[in-house]
Amino acid sequence: MSNTNQVERIFLSPPHLEGNEIDYVKQAFESNFISSVGPMIDGLEQEIAEYTQIPYAVGVTSGTAAIHLGLVALGVEKGDKVITPSFTFIAGVSPILYQNAEPIFMDVSPETWTLDPNLFEDYLKAAEKHGEKIKAVIPTDIYGQSCDLENIAQIAQKYGVKVLCDAAESMGATYNGKSSGYDADAAIYSFNGNKIITGSAGGVLVSHSKELVEKARFLSQQAKDPSPHYQHSTIGFNYRMSNIVAAIIRPQLASLDRRIQKRQSIYERYKKALSHIPGISFMPIADYGTSNYWLTVIKIDESLTGFSRDELRESLADHHIESRSTWKPMHMQPVLQKFSYYGGQVTEKLFDQGLCLPSGSQLSEAQQDRIIHVIQSTAFKR
Ligand SMILES: *Cc1c(COP(=O)(O)O)cnc(C)c1O
């Protein structure tokens, strides 16, 4: 075993700074907008609208805050039912509970790993028959791949269900030539430290509806009525993005396409080196769009590889390489077990077998070779 102190640790998806962020931050400092208002936020919102072609955007403190505001702006209230895939991060679910609404978990499609539109439609059909009202759905883009959003939005519209797309992981991905999130009533992206672009934190809510985004903007700033004194007719939040955070994100947004290319080449290199190993397979890329390749994810079929996902994760960890298991299903989370689940075993199987590999846009070929070597020798040992 190599000496711990001398081996450089490889992280899953560390922040990637362009270098000129500091110039933007300096500009923000010099303008003295050390605040949750300022030209950097305005500029970022405009650039996101241009990039995604979704015309309205409001910058907020996190992707989670954006989901919460999106639900409020779409009218999700106490007791309302909200469908969401079980295969997701809890940040897509917590805001449903902040609203005292009720999540309904659903299985994903084995072809896309995102919400299965057929299950979704079956559920809504049956719900209509027995008079169950569904208020909203949060389809989630996963590991950089868009969900089947046009399809989901069409079904949702037929049954009067609002669509809030959790595109936290998929900024820059496309679906039928449009930006991820485009076909939803509203969508969110995250700028958390592990995402493809980051402000250390941050999120944005986007929509084709000006009214919806303005409502969210109002609520994100403590819901201050237009009045010369502090007056409130509704309860809001302190969710507005900081001008400093916006300054960090803007130059990274400008380089998003290059970052996607880099992550794609990382994915392709893994695929070339590992896909011939019996029992190792890759997350499928749906033909309706392009992924941003946020994370490369493999599946380990232990009956063929002779080693489990967790054994591989541990052997990578022994070599100072961070990898992560795929999301533990929401319907299996101790805090969420009382809510209902609809579907089969796709999500559970993905959780048993899936492993996310280091995919940062600054990962060097030498680092990637180190990772590949550990995986190959784990396979070869058996
Ligand atoms: C990162 C992430 C979020 C939350 O974003 P934050 O900015 O960390 O609050 C929500 N949903 C998914 C699927 C995510 O990956």
Side-chain angles (χ1 to χ4, degrees):
M1 184 59 49
S2 41
N3 183 334
T4 312
N5 299 325
Q6 289 174 2
V7 181
E8 165 210 32
R9 198 166 152 69
I10 300 176
F11 293 97
L12 193 73
S13 179
H16 171 183
L17 291 175
E18 286 296 308
N20 58 344
E21 287 88 348
I22 197 74
D23 303 327
Y24 282 72
V25 170
K26 203 162 161 240
Q27 247 185 70
F29 273 45
E30 282 164 2
S31 71
N32 208 35
F33 281 105
I34 314 299
S35 168
S36 61
V37 292
M40 288 295 168
I41 308 176
D42 301 341
L44 177 66
E45 287 172 350
Q46 200 181 329
E47 285 156 8
I48 288 169
E50 275 161 23
Y51 185 90
T52 61
Q53 294 292 302
I54 303 172
Y56 304 102
V58 55
V60 293
T61 47
S62 69
T64 312
I67 294 171
H68 192 190
L69 284 173
L71 289 176
V72 176
L74 289 170
V76 172
E77 292 174 350
K78 186 172 178 179
D80 284 344
K81 295 184 177 182
V82 180
I83 292 174
T84 185
S86 186
F87 192 57
T88 186
F89 179 47
I90 194 150
V93 176
S94 310
I96 301 171
L97 297 165
Y98 301 162
Q99 284 307 98
N100 292 306
E102 182 187 330
I104 297 168
F105 300 120
M106 206 165 274
D107 209 354
V108 294
S109 149
E111 273 97 56
T112 66
W113 298 13
T114 60
L115 184 69
D116 187 331
N118 297 321
L119 279 181
F120 179 54
E121 184 156 30
D122 290 349
Y123 191 95
L124 293 181
K125 238 183 231 162
E128 194 179 55
K129 271 208 191 102
H130 61 252
E132 181 187 2
K133 177 87 186 100
I134 304 299
K135 180 76 185 186
V137 59
I138 307 180
T140 307
D141 298 346
I142 217 78
Y143 302 127
Q145 169 151 284
S146 170
C147 61
D148 191 355
L149 189 54
E150 218 172 75
N151 223 340
I152 290 165
Q154 258 165 27
I155 297 162
Q157 196 179 21
K158 203 161 109 191
Y159 292 91
V161 175
K162 302 283 187 205
V163 183
L164 175 62
C165 183
D166 180 353
E169 300 172 4
S170 72
M171 186 158 221
T174 67
Y175 173 88
N176 284 343
K178 298 166 280 192
S179 281
S180 64
Y182 189 90
D183 296 299
D185 294 301
I188 72 98
Y189 305 103
S190 162
F191 307 115
N192 182 284
N194 66 3
K195 298 301 198 287
I196 194 160
I197 59 178
T198 182
S200 71
V204 65
L205 177 75
V206 294
S207 176
H208 296 277
S209 162
K210 184 175 183 182
E211 193 192 337
L212 185 143
V213 167
E214 290 316 314
K215 186 171 173 187
R217 192 189 306 282
F218 170 75
L219 291 169
S220 76
Q221 294 167 303
Q222 306 283 23
K224 297 185 201 101
D225 288 344
S227 152
H229 44 259
Y230 286 101
Q231 178 180 297
H232 309 274
S233 310
T234 182
I235 293 296
F237 307 92
N238 185 6
Y239 276 170
R240 191 72 167 123
M241 179 181 274
S242 153
N243 197 52
I244 308 296
V245 165
I248 303 171
I249 299 167
R250 286 180 75 188
Q252 293 176 32
L253 179 60
S255 77
L256 178 54
D257 291 344
R258 249 182 297 131
R259 289 161 182 250
I260 294 171
Q261 279 167 22
K262 181 64 203 292
R263 288 195 194 238
Q264 180 173 6
S265 73
I266 290 166
Y267 162 83
E268 276 158 8
R269 242 171 136 250
Y270 276 131
K271 207 163 176 188
K272 199 163 159 207
L274 304 173
S275 60
H276 64 277
I277 299 174
I280 291 187
S281 60
F282 283 71
M283 176 178 172
I285 304 288
D287 57 13
Y288 54 54
T290 56
S291 178
N292 73 3
Y293 298 92
W294 177 52
L295 294 181
T296 294
V297 189
I298 56 174
K299 269 196 324 185
I300 312 291
D301 180 348
E302 188 176 355
S303 68
L304 295 170
T305 55
F307 58 87
S308 69
R309 184 270 314 276
D310 286 321
E311 281 167 327
L312 180 57
R313 187 177 45 72
E314 281 156 23
S315 68
L316 287 163
D318 287 343
H319 291 83
H320 316 290
I321 297 162
E322 182 186 29
S323 64
R324 287 240 182 107
S325 81
T326 40
W327 305 122
K328 177 169 180 174
M330 291 300 116
H331 69 275
M332 290 168 68
Q333 297 292 346
V335 70
L336 299 173
Q337 264 165 8
K338 64 175 179 226
F339 300 109
S340 62
Y341 172 72
Y342 184 71
Q345 261 88 55
V346 181
T347 298
E348 285 173 32
K349 203 153 175 206
L350 289 176
F351 171 55
D352 281 343
Q353 298 190 333
L355 188 69
C356 306
L357 299 177
S359 308
S361 40
Q362 283 179 308
L363 188 75
S364 70
E365 292 199 351
Q367 287 174 319
Q368 195 178 4
D369 288 342
R370 247 179 74 198
I371 301 159
I372 288 168
H373 179 76
V374 173
I375 300 172
Q376 284 173 337
S377 51
T378 305
F380 187 67
K381 246 184 359 210
R382 307 285 152 155

